[in-house]
Amino acid sequence: MKHFLKRLGFHKPDEMERHIVFRAQRNSYVFLVAALLIWSFYESYRVYAYHTRLNLIPCMLLTAAALIQTFSQLIMTRNAVKDDKDSFETTPLLKIIILVCAAASVIAAIGAVFLFTGVQV
């Protein structure tokens, strides 16, 4: 089975391959965040200039991407230094509380959008 997977290109990457994958992922993340930010500003401009409905999809995707990236970074940092007694990164309680509040706000905003868009005035 190992030989079959190795022929297909599945193997444990070495340090150089991990570095290349990391840089590629970072470049794609920066591109996606920039594209979503530009899309959000464009949608906001359309609402301001032409009085159209606000498309919240780019804003929600941008917020979700930022929350996922921050939560992932917190978890990976915590796991990397969990046995280190000199590290202060083992309990980023304030960061976690702020991110949970931000995530709850995003979920509440999404719920409010679905609720209010379905109601006819």
Side-chain angles (χ1 to χ4, degrees):
M1 185 69 174
K2 279 187 174 182
H3 298 293
F4 177 71
L5 291 175
K6 197 168 191 175
R7 284 184 184 172
L8 293 176
F10 294 106
H11 63 282
K12 186 175 181 179
D14 62 2
E15 186 176 337
M16 184 180 74
E17 289 173 327
R18 284 193 309 261
H19 181 70
I20 291 169
V21 168
F22 169 74
R23 288 184 57 118
Q25 288 172 344
R26 186 187 66 190
N27 292 342
S28 66
Y29 178 75
V30 167
F31 168 76
L32 287 174
V33 167
L36 286 171
L37 189 64
I38 291 168
W39 188 12
S40 297
F41 284 141
Y42 173 73
E43 290 294 331
S44 299
Y45 168 75
R46 280 188 36 203
V47 169
Y48 177 74
Y50 303 114
H51 304 291
T52 61
R53 289 185 101 180
L54 179 61
N55 183 5
L56 291 176
I57 291 174
C59 299
M60 288 182 209
L61 288 174
L62 182 61
T63 305
L67 285 172
I68 290 169
Q69 192 269 337
T70 306
F71 273 131
S72 299
Q73 186 176 355
L74 281 172
I75 290 169
M76 285 188 263
T77 301
R78 184 176 172 88
N79 289 340
V81 297
K82 67 181 173 185
D83 295 330
D84 188 8
K85 298 197 185 331
D86 296 330
S87 176
F88 296 107
E89 293 292 330
T90 56
T91 56
L93 184 61
L94 183 61
K95 289 181 185 178
I96 291 173
I97 291 171
I98 291 171
L99 288 173
V100 167
C101 291
S105 299
V106 168
I107 291 169
I110 291 169
V113 166
F114 288 131
L115 180 70
F116 291 130
T117 56
V119 176
Q120 296 292 329
V121 180

